[in-house]
Amino acid sequence: MTELRSLRRRVELGLIVLIAIITASAYALAGLGASASLPADLLPFLGIVLGLLLVAHLAVRRFAPNADGLILPLAALLNGLGYVFIARLDNDLAAPQATWTAIGIGAFVATLVLVRRPRDLQRYRYTFLLAGLVLLILPFTPIGFANLGAQIWVRLGPLTFQPGELAKLAMLLFFAGYLVENRELLSVSTFRIGPLMLPDPKRLGPLILALGAALFIFVQQNDLGPSLMIFTVFLVMIWVATERLSYLVLGSGLFVVGAYLAYTQFAHVAPRFEVWLDPWRPEVIRGEAYQIVQSTYALAQGGLTGTGLGLGNPERVPVVTTDFIFTAIGEELGLVGATAVLITFLLLVGSALRLAVVAEHPYDKLLAVGIATLIATQVFIIVGGITRVLPLTGIALPFVSYGGSSLIVNYVLLGLLLRLSHDVTTRQLRKVEAEAAAVPA
Amino acid sequence: MNRQIRRLTVGVLLCFLVLFGQLNRIQVFQAQELQDNPDNTRQVVANYSRPRGTISTIDGTVVARSVEVDTALRRQREYPEGELFAQISGHFSLHFGASGVERTYDTELAGQTPELELRNLADLFVDRDRSGSLVLSVRADVQAAARDALGDRPGSVVALDPRTGEILALWSWPSFDPNLVSSPDIAQATEARSLYLLDPRNPMLGRTYQERYFPGSSFKVVVSAAGLESGLVTMDQPSYDRQSTWTPPLTSRAITNAGGSVCGGSLAEILRVSCNTAYAEMGALTLGPDVMAEGAEAFGFNSRPPIDLPAPALSVFPTDYGEALSTPGADQPDPAVPGTVFENTPSLAQAAIGQHDVSATPLQMALVAAGVANGGNIMQPHVVHELRDADGGLIERYEPEVWRRAMSPANAAALRQAMIGVVTSGTGTSMAIPGYEVGGKTGTARLAEGTASTHAWMIGFAGPPGETPHVAVAVVVLAEEGAGEQSGGRVAAPVARTVLETALSPAAPPVTPPGSEPEPDPGT
């Protein structure tokens, strides 16, 4: 048992050191590219990155020693690369992002310390539902405000944040708890529509509620992203929990119908779709489609290997530090760098999904599935939006984009993942040991 | 549940594959098409913001340089001399592209030639300016002399070294200020450009090499050369009748001499006094269409001169004069026999005195004078003398090359003497410079039959006695509304003389080649 533990932690430590070096090298290259001189604060920078990651590593060693050694370094790589790009794109954002990263690591450690057993969270599922709904509505209250056309912000004194980011965490925890409780009932079908077997309409209430909330937010915020994200996570979780494909099919169908109605009924929704279908029309190319068109040019400029760090012109794309940070990576690091980022996400999501398979308790499984889906969906929505696979919708690229709310919530998710990983591994190891003990010598 | 989770894993993988596929489409397969989209200004802005070399004259005057500015574009192009070199340097605009040398030497100035890039391969990691700097063969003093001598009369001046083809001055008035057109402020640049484009005199056009005019009598040099080269004309034979008018066959429209004067005789004599009747007869009957066309094309007519400036105009000598109608002393018309009359022989007679459809750029006429001066060889004209890297190291120097062998050295020497006669005692006496051998030919080109307005031409050369002339020149002062007749000898010759005189004086010693990022000018 200790052998595996020490192996996993050594792998983690080695990867962390490697990632600190990669991040510092990228930072140095970005400085060389942009101003032809090495950043003066290169060594302190390396020290701080290494320091922050070591704090996280030591916390894992202390509180989740059996956890998968790959998860933290993967997130650290994304966070580090994101920071290098943010610092290179807008120097004024470098210090806040560094602060947010430190707070994020703090939240990560706090999660490991406070959540001793993920299943304990199941108890608070309705608290999470309430919190989630309140957080979703918050931007429409007097303390909420709109920025860049999206009504997703809240101001509390000097602090501004996006409650939607916290809401997705709350909703995820609610879904996991609720579905574990009701999965038996939800999977019993009592009537059928055509080939679809459906459960008791009473049980469908939450589904309808989630769908309604998603579409309401979609229309109100003029932003498809957050609602699509939450709804997808919900659908995937209910499908996995009940093992009934009909939820996934029916839910996606309803969402498409709802989105189509919104498209035809609400004036401000239609242009988004039209820009998506053809951004090259002269009447939008310098207007609504400007962002996506400039982003496409940036990616084309990057080509296979990119212009080089600090040598591109990513500042020509509006809001490049948040929603469009992937464009900057694609421009300066090329298809190669963009693919590396996608693969990093895939490994992170894959680790979470592997955990879900290995875990025994349904709550653990659902939580891991939820976290994996949440990260994967965010990546797919924003990268898909940038590459015009989907209509463009503003959403943060997890760990990479500038923004405190998103970063902190993602680190909490990461903490939960490591906590799950530790629990699952520990239980499995105990089982193996018990079996070994049972075998007569 | 595990079955669903495995399916979900496959689903996530597929979604990411879609993203990967679409990224490939944008970044690799469509990349070129997207970069070539006219709406995509990335490449243009990147080119504009990159360090760009300095353009300076051979005597050290800065023509164009990049200055660093505190805007998103990082750099801006500056032309310290304003209008003076505008039609050589051209402009370098974010919005309207480039012209002139800025256009023909774009890759060199931007440092993107293999030589410049290889040179700096070793210091990939050091911030080095890779741009190349151009040293023009143009002399600032000759250019300024051309500007001052022409004054505010519309026209063009070309001066070059006949021995090498190096352009010494290339001026036409009105000119334009490239600073305005190259302004990164789109409103200012657009306004300046629109105003220039509205001007019928076309200030932004490089009219020295991109605009054609009737050459008038200056074309008689070409006719003389054609005659000598064909062997049909020598310095002594034939001798044309002394008369004041001559009427070509098939027409009643007579060709007259300037001021109704009576003239005739052999080549040197008719060139000296610019005898229309004699040249019309020489072109139309003595030489005929084929010899005339061959002679003109030997000087570069009907082809674009290989000058290192964008889109030079070709000078035109029409070659089609219809069917042969009759040959004197023969039953059947024979086009090969001199004296044969063609359907358009009257036009050929007009062409022989530089009228009809003959038209030439000032550059072409300067090359005609240069060819005669340089033993019959016309050298490739060029404005760039050498290319240097950002540190001033020489990368490439222009090597003189022959463009056209227009005449044999012997014929060229004879014609040269005849042209010297024009200046010593003919129509071009006001071009004479004491102490130098000066030859030339005047031209007075009538814009249309019956109008008084004329373009005044002077082409010629000058140099120390006994040497190949050092400078060839072409000056055209354009007809102006109500200006009446202006003769080449009176109007254009003094301009040519001033330019020749300045060019014959020693050039200021070349200064150390400037780097591309000059010291900030304390005066501005």
Side-chain angles (χ1 to χ4, degrees), chain B residues 75-119:
Chain B
R75 288 185 181 75
Q76 189 181 326
R77 207 66 172 148
E78 189 182 83
Y79 303 86
E81 302 295 324
E83 295 192 337
L84 184 57
F85 299 101
Q87 293 175 354
I88 303 167
S89 67
H91 58 76
F92 182 68
S93 162
L94 176 61
H95 312 290
F96 306 119
S99 64
V101 163
E102 294 272 29
R103 178 146 145 208
T104 43
Y105 289 91
D106 183 51
T107 48
E108 284 83 358
L109 289 165
Q112 290 171 319
T113 66
E115 292 95 329
L116 285 164
E117 278 175 348
L118 277 177
R119 183 164 283 237

Side-chain angles (χ1 to χ4, degrees), chain B residues 69-257:
Chain B
V69 288
D70 199 19
T71 67
L73 290 169
R74 296 203 278 260
R75 288 185 181 75
Q76 189 181 326
R77 207 66 172 148
E78 189 182 83
Y79 303 86
E81 302 295 324
E83 295 192 337
L84 184 57
F85 299 101
Q87 293 175 354
I88 303 167
S89 67
H91 58 76
F92 182 68
S93 162
L94 176 61
H95 312 290
F96 306 119
S99 64
V101 163
E102 294 272 29
R103 178 146 145 208
T104 43
Y105 289 91
D106 183 51
T107 48
E108 284 83 358
L109 289 165
Q112 290 171 319
T113 66
E115 292 95 329
L116 285 164
E117 278 175 348
L118 277 177
R119 183 164 283 237
N120 298 298
L121 209 59
D123 39 44
L124 261 178
F125 294 98
V126 185
D127 178 38
R128 251 196 59 163
D129 185 349
R130 282 151 211 209
S131 63
S133 283
L134 297 176
V135 179
L136 302 178
S137 58
V138 172
R139 273 172 58 180
D141 55 346
V142 183
Q143 182 80 1
R147 175 192 59 192
D148 297 343
L150 195 60
D152 56 3
R153 294 171 290 179
S156 294
V157 177
V158 178
L160 56 90
D161 187 332
R163 300 164 299 180
T164 59
E166 297 199 320
I167 303 278
L168 302 172
L170 201 66
W171 168 254
S172 57
W173 193 89
S175 182
F176 71 102
D177 186 348
N179 290 304
L180 299 179
V181 182
S182 305
S183 166
D185 176 353
I186 187 159
Q188 195 192 5
T190 308
E191 191 195 337
R193 185 164 172 271
S194 320
L195 280 177
Y196 285 135
L197 291 180
L198 276 176
D199 188 330
R201 297 170 303 185
N202 223 341
M204 283 181 64
L205 189 70
R207 301 186 303 287
T208 44
Y209 64 96
Q210 289 179 320
E211 186 71 285
R212 291 189 295 255
Y213 309 100
F214 292 130
S217 300
S218 62
F219 190 70
K220 286 169 185 164
V221 175
V222 177
V223 179
S224 308
L228 289 170
E229 285 294 294
S230 70
L232 296 169
V233 174
T234 65
M235 294 313 287
D236 311 311
Q237 287 295 329
S239 180
Y240 293 93
D241 293 340
R242 290 182 55 80
Q243 53 198 5
S244 62
T245 63
W246 179 73
T247 309
L250 308 177
T251 179
S252 56
R253 246 171 57 191
I255 286 180
T256 60
N257 289 321

Side-chain angles (χ1 to χ4, degrees), chain A residues 213-235:
Chain A
L215 287 175
F216 169 78
I217 296 159
F218 167 37
V219 172
Q220 285 301 309
Q221 294 184 334
N222 188 18
D223 208 354
L224 183 69
S227 49
L228 181 61
M229 182 174 73
I230 291 178
F231 193 66
T232 307
V233 170
F234 176 73
L235 280 186

Side-chain angles (χ1 to χ4, degrees), chain B residues 46-77:
Chain B
N47 282 341
Y48 197 83
S49 309
R50 183 180 289 136
R52 193 173 172 86
T54 301
I55 305 173
S56 54
T57 65
I58 195 157
D59 47 352
T61 301
V62 173
V63 172
R65 65 180 166 208
S66 277
V67 287
E68 292 198 32
V69 288
D70 199 19
T71 67
L73 290 169
R74 296 203 278 260
R75 288 185 181 75
Q76 189 181 326
R77 207 66 172 148

Side-chain angles (χ1 to χ4, degrees), chain A residues 226-398:
Chain A
S227 49
L228 181 61
M229 182 174 73
I230 291 178
F231 193 66
T232 307
V233 170
F234 176 73
L235 280 186
V236 168
M237 286 173 81
I238 198 172
W239 166 54
V240 172
T242 61
E243 306 187 343
R244 302 197 69 91
L245 197 61
S246 50
Y247 280 109
L248 202 57
V249 174
L250 192 67
S252 325
L254 284 177
F255 191 85
V256 170
V257 170
Y260 178 76
L261 283 178
Y263 168 65
T264 49
Q265 298 302 312
F266 297 96
H268 61 270
V269 176
R272 284 186 171 245
F273 281 88
E274 280 154 14
V275 159
W276 172 51
L277 293 173
D278 183 10
W280 307 104
R281 282 171 300 139
E283 62 270 29
V284 295
I285 197 164
R286 300 251 149 186
E288 286 108 327
Y290 183 73
Q291 209 173 18
I292 185 72
V293 164
Q294 292 303 316
S295 162
T296 309
Y297 291 155
L299 289 175
Q301 180 103 28
L304 189 62
T305 54
T307 59
L309 257 169
L311 296 172
N313 296 88
E315 68 282 350
R316 288 171 61 90
V317 182
V319 298
V320 70
T321 52
T322 54
D323 299 347
F324 277 84
I325 193 139
F326 190 79
T327 300
I329 295 174
E331 178 180 352
E332 298 206 326
L333 299 182
L335 178 68
V336 175
T339 307
V341 169
L342 285 184
I343 288 175
T344 309
F345 275 115
L346 209 50
L347 289 174
L348 190 58
V349 171
S351 303
L353 286 173
R354 198 173 63 93
L355 195 56
V357 171
V358 177
E360 282 168 3
H361 195 280
Y363 184 82
D364 294 351
K365 278 181 174 306
L366 278 180
L367 194 55
V369 164
I371 293 171
T373 311
L374 192 59
I375 295 173
T377 312
Q378 281 195 69
V379 174
F380 188 67
I381 287 175
I382 186 60
V383 178
I386 285 171
T387 54
R388 291 210 307 121
V389 172
L390 300 174
L392 179 65
T393 147
I395 202 170
L397 188 62

Side-chain angles (χ1 to χ4, degrees), chain B residues 246-251 280-281 283-290 320-349:
Chain B
W246 179 73
T247 309
L250 308 177
T251 179
E281 191 180 339
L285 297 180
T286 316
L287 303 180
D290 290 350
D320 183 11
Y321 293 92
E323 297 286 317
L325 297 178
S326 63
T327 303
D331 297 337
Q332 291 295 316
D334 181 355
V337 174
T340 301
V341 175
F342 291 78
E343 285 173 290
N344 284 330
T345 289
S347 302
L348 186 57

